[in-house]
Amino acid sequence: MLLAFALVLLLAVLVSSLAHRTVLSTAALFLVAGFLLGEETTGVLHLHPDSPILGVLAELALFAVLFTDGMHAGWSDLRSAWRLPGRALGWGLPLTLGVTALLAHYVVGLPWPESLLIGAVLAPTDPVFAAALVGNDKVPARLRHLLNVESGVNDGLALPFVILFLAVSQGSGDLHLDDLALELALGVAIGVGVPWLAIRLEKSRYFAASTAYEPLNAFAIGLVVLGLAQAVHGNLFLAAFAAGVTVATFGPAQRKAFDKFGELVAELLKLAALLVFGALISLEFLGDIPWQGWVFAVLALVVVRPAALAVAFLRSRLSRREQLAAMWFGPKGFASVVYALLVLESGIAEADKIFHLVALTIVLSVIAHSSTDVLVARSFDERSEVPQWHETPGPDEGPGHGTSPEPDQEPRPGTSPAPGRGTVPEPGREPDPAAAPPTAPEPDPAAAPEARRGGPGTD
């Protein structure tokens, strides 16, 4: 297992530059590698649904991802631009859950508790399969912000519904809602209290972190939250998300120091979980899914999110192209993988069926979204699609300086369409000596025809 993961990781590092420019993605690479190395394909990885490593790895990976996701959802981040993400989360997320549950019940025939459970499992999105879109600076910033914030927050928002519907699906006459509420409350309390206290201590005059140890501060906070939540039986995942939000809100310096290091830790655990998840899938596994399951998976990708966001974005200021891009790019990713593993580990009656449906949906999503993100992102490279406020650097300026003309606006007479400070004579008009720069030489009569064409180098 370790050798396989190390070799695939090395390959992912070697092709990572290519992956950023093409339809490849490192997440898809680990998923495919797990599929090829699995027990029923080549037999290199001996993993089964009841393997102990599944639960442990899923738990650690989801904790790390929710912790880092929470750090991107600090109060200042949400307050600065909350309207569009608020629409996607406040309306889009519950509508996605509900419509998915309807499909699971009426198309596949799952009971209502299990239908709602699979709706919660498939509700989160993951921008890793749309990296070319969220990483292209010519894509409108509000669209990239929307996709990033939505995917960073919906993992944590969907979690309580997964826990609740999983408890309902276990079929106990007494759902122990008081115990469940206590577990969730303890998780949130630990997630808020531990980081707040740690940050206050560091800011006091008695303590200070050295430059070398600053990245470990938030890491240590995360470990304390994990250990304390396990000790008092608080919900680990809500504790992780709440801790990330608390660090982002009260400790921006700690978040900044932890950012790159934390992302790498979370990425390693995420890729390991994807490798394990892929190893559980095989051609025989996919062949066991009836045609109703395939119909469900396709509709979950091409109908559910577009329908949910069409309602969420009513009367919004997003352009039609931006809305279509947001509707399409709701890829099912890591959070759904881990939630599916948790359902499989729970042993409920429909666990295997739910896992098959979620696995198929994720596989189709990986293929569809990771192979189209580059194409959609490149469509925004066209000048007519660049938003009016997109910043274009001038010849002597770095990124973020200067502005481009509005797409549908012609340059003013007497000005160059290219960024610059000089002027160009209008066609058919002689240069105005008074408008020439003081240091400009006298016009050469032999060059008059060339000047009337706009001058050299102005095309």
Side-chain angles (χ1 to χ4, degrees):
M1 172 69 185
L2 179 60
L3 178 60
F5 175 75
L7 290 174
V8 178
L9 179 62
L10 178 60
L11 177 62
V13 171
L14 294 176
V15 302
S16 58
S17 179
L18 177 64
H20 282 295
R21 303 191 304 268
T22 64
V23 298
L24 296 175
S25 74
T26 52
L29 175 63
F30 273 82
L31 195 62
V32 172
F35 173 83
L36 296 176
L37 299 175
E39 179 77 26
E40 298 182 10
T41 306
T42 60
V44 175
L45 295 178
H46 302 283
L47 294 171
H48 305 279
D50 56 350
S51 298
I53 191 176
L54 291 182
V56 175
L57 184 58
E59 188 175 272
L60 289 176
L62 185 57
F63 184 92
V65 169
L66 288 172
F67 185 56
T68 54
D69 280 351
M71 287 199 181
H72 297 109
W75 175 244
S76 60
D77 301 313
L78 298 179
R79 184 178 55 185
S80 62
W82 61 271
R83 293 184 180 275
L84 289 174
R87 284 172 174 262
L89 295 167
W91 289 98
L93 181 66
L95 286 173
T96 298
L97 191 159
V99 177
T100 304
L102 288 173
L103 290 176
H105 182 73
Y106 289 108
V107 175
V108 183
L110 285 175
W112 278 116
E114 286 79 3
S115 298
L116 291 168
L117 175 59
I118 196 173
V121 168
L122 289 175
T125 57
D126 193 336
V128 71
F129 298 117
L133 188 70
V134 298
N136 186 344
D137 63 354
K138 289 188 178 180
V139 174
R142 60 183 178 184
L143 175 58
R144 289 183 282 125
H145 179 77
L146 162 65
L147 296 175
N148 273 319
V149 172
E150 180 197 11
S151 61
V153 176
N154 60 17
D155 295 352
L157 293 183
L159 178 61
F161 295 100
V162 174
I163 296 171
L164 176 62
F165 295 137
L166 185 58
V168 174
S169 300
Q170 288 173 339
S172 172
D174 182 5
L175 296 178
H176 302 287
L177 293 180
D178 52 345
D179 294 336
L180 179 61
L182 178 61
E183 178 185 337
L184 298 179
L186 283 173
V188 174
I190 292 170
V192 173
V194 170
W196 180 83
L197 179 60
I199 292 170
R200 288 295 299 269
L201 287 174
E202 188 188 355
K203 290 181 178 179
S204 70
R205 61 178 180 175
Y206 303 106
F207 299 96
S210 67
T211 303
Y213 277 71
E214 279 182 349
L216 292 178
N217 191 359
F219 182 75
I221 290 173
L223 286 180
V224 173
V225 169
L226 174 63
L228 185 58
Q230 285 181 331
V232 302
H233 304 290
N235 187 271
L236 301 180
F237 308 126
L238 279 183
F241 189 72
V245 173
T246 304
V247 172
T249 302
F250 296 103
Q254 289 79 3
R255 176 174 73 166
K256 182 178 180 181
F258 178 73
D259 191 28
K260 292 184 179 180
F261 174 71
E263 290 290 345
L264 287 176
V265 172
E267 187 71 10
L268 285 174
L269 291 170
K270 178 191 295 187
L271 295 176
L274 287 172
L275 182 71
V276 169
F277 178 74
L280 299 178
I281 302 172
S282 65
L283 293 177
E284 183 180 353
F285 176 95
L286 298 175
D288 291 338
I289 302 174
W291 67 268
Q292 293 94 334
W294 288 84
V295 172
F296 166 83
V298 172
L299 293 178
L301 295 179
V302 302
V303 172
V304 173
R305 181 174 173 85
L309 290 193
V311 175
F313 291 148
L314 284 175
R315 303 181 67 180
S316 72
R317 295 184 179 181
L318 282 176
S319 69
R320 186 63 178 167
R321 178 174 289 270
E322 290 172 302
Q323 289 191 37
L324 291 175
M327 289 175 182
W328 172 239
F329 283 106
K332 311 303 176 186
F334 175 74
S336 295
V337 168
V338 178
Y339 292 157
L341 292 175
L342 295 177
V343 171
L344 188 64
E345 189 185 14
S346 71
I348 63 174
E350 300 287 352
D352 189 64
K353 190 172 186 178
I354 292 175
F355 183 77
H356 275 71
L357 293 174
V358 172
L360 175 61
T361 305
I362 293 173
V363 169
L364 295 181
S365 177
V366 170
I367 295 172
H369 292 109
S370 65
S371 61
T372 56
D373 63 337
V374 173
L375 301 178
V376 175
R378 285 177 179 172
S379 71
F380 286 96
D381 290 343
E382 300 173 12
R383 184 175 180 81
S384 62
E385 299 297 343
V386 176
Q388 296 179 6
W389 42 264
H390 173 68
E391 297 180 347
T392 304
D396 298 322
E397 297 171 331
H401 294 79
T403 58
S404 60
E406 295 183 3
D408 299 325
Q409 179 179 331
E410 294 295 330
R412 292 189 304 273
T415 61
S416 170
R421 295 182 175 83
T423 59
V424 178
E426 295 180 41
R429 180 183 296 180
E430 292 296 330
D432 184 1
T439 57
E442 291 292 329
D444 185 357
E450 185 173 336
R452 281 192 289 269
R453 289 196 298 270
T458 59
D459 293 337

